[in-house]
Amino acid sequence: MAGKPKLYYFKGRGKMESIRWLLAAAGVEFEEEFLETREQYEKLLQGGSLLFQQVPMVEIDGMKMVQTRAILSYIAAKYNLYGKDLKERALIDMYVGGTDDLMGFILMFPFLSAEDKEKQRAVIVQKATSRYFPAYEKVLKDHGQDFLVGNNFSWADVHLFEAILMVEEKKSDVLSGFPQLQAFKARISSIPTIKKFLEPGSQRKPVPDDKYVETVRRVLRMYYDIKAN
């Protein structure tokens, strides 16, 4: 019997958080090794574990997988969260891609200066409420189903739910004009595996703090400032 997937990343969200979310949604237990020193990172590099010299890296089913999208696709397919046919997979990919674009505005937020954070916060809310949330609101309204694709819980739902929570951390009432998304959020949060991941003590990571930022900068030797979008 294969062991639990093992995740190699920092003790924080970053690109690994969506992988944690998807595994949790599938009800899969996983282990984590947190990178805290440059030496740990270099050991992975020297051991050939990081094909493109980047994390996240996930050990699963005898593979050492890198590239976040490839890891997520594999997990979604393995645990039946990737639709029932090619058309549904295409829709899931499309919706996940849109959500990724929104998440991209949030991912580097912790690394910005205080001034740039305020600018970026406005950008995030504007993009969410004028481009991305209206699209998902329309999808849900038009087909009248509980989930984004095929009326079955999928990777697309997990990804959108994660993004909604991320944007709500920037503006708590951001869904006020989106009744379909409000109902969607309530439905997804009641799914047992999701509910469990939302509880205190789970492997879900908190909002990135200064310690997380300092660790990432030190391990990856990021000596430059990130600029707002």
Side-chain angles (χ1 to χ4, degrees):
M1 182 177 178
K4 297 176 183 178
K6 187 170 183 179
L7 284 49
Y8 294 79
Y9 200 67
F10 307 98
K11 193 174 184 178
R13 291 183 183 175
K15 291 188 175 183
M16 186 65 88
E17 191 70 355
S18 291
I19 297 170
R20 297 184 185 108
W21 265 105
L22 195 57
L23 285 168
V28 178
E29 294 183 356
F30 56 89
E31 300 175 347
E32 300 189 79
E33 181 171 317
F34 299 121
L35 301 182
E36 298 177 341
T37 67
R38 178 70 185 182
E39 289 70 28
Q40 284 176 287
Y41 179 64
E42 290 180 347
K43 184 178 179 180
L44 290 175
L45 289 173
Q46 292 162 7
S49 296
L50 306 182
L51 183 62
F52 301 111
Q53 302 178 30
Q54 297 170 317
V55 288
M57 191 270 281
V58 175
E59 287 186 343
I60 185 170
D61 295 341
M63 299 182 289
K64 293 183 177 180
M65 294 195 70
V66 294
Q67 292 297 322
T68 308
R69 187 60 179 262
I71 297 167
L72 288 165
S73 296
Y74 182 80
I75 293 168
K78 179 178 174 69
Y79 296 106
N80 300 314
L81 294 169
Y82 210 177
K84 69 178 186 296
D85 55 32
L86 191 60
K87 182 177 179 180
E88 287 193 356
R89 286 194 174 197
L91 289 173
I92 289 169
D93 283 339
M94 183 171 70
Y95 297 148
V96 166
T99 308
D100 269 343
D101 290 345
L102 174 57
M103 286 180 170
F105 292 102
I106 305 172
L107 189 62
M108 300 310 296
F109 185 86
F111 298 88
L112 299 174
S113 67
E115 180 181 356
D116 279 348
K117 281 182 178 178
E118 288 311 304
K119 295 178 182 177
Q120 190 70 351
R121 188 187 308 275
V123 169
I124 291 165
V125 172
Q126 190 274 330
K127 294 291 186 183
T129 56
S130 68
R131 179 182 298 180
Y132 298 102
F133 288 174
Y136 296 117
E137 181 82 1
K138 184 177 188 301
V139 169
L140 291 166
K141 184 177 181 179
D142 285 353
H143 66 38
Q145 298 174 338
D146 288 345
F147 305 106
L148 287 171
V149 179
N151 206 28
N152 286 306
F153 182 50
S154 76
W155 172 22
D157 302 304
V158 180
H159 216 51
L160 177 57
F161 181 73
E162 181 191 359
I164 287 171
L165 297 184
M166 292 169 72
V167 180
E168 284 185 330
E169 289 170 348
K170 302 294 179 277
K171 189 175 189 294
S172 61
D173 64 347
V174 73
L175 289 186
S176 60
F178 302 98
Q180 295 291 335
L181 287 179
Q182 291 176 40
F184 171 84
K185 178 190 170 187
R187 284 194 299 274
I188 301 302
S189 63
S190 68
I191 292 172
T193 55
I194 296 292
K195 187 175 181 179
K196 182 178 179 181
F197 197 57
L198 289 169
E199 292 173 352
S202 79
Q203 288 169 287
R204 183 187 179 205
K205 300 300 181 278
V207 176
D209 57 14
D210 291 342
K211 181 180 179 181
Y212 166 77
V213 170
E214 192 277 329
T215 300
V216 173
R217 286 186 180 276
R218 183 180 67 251
V219 173
L220 298 182
R221 292 180 176 169
M222 292 171 58
Y223 301 127
Y224 54 89
D225 292 328
I226 304 295
K227 299 299 181 182
N229 286 305

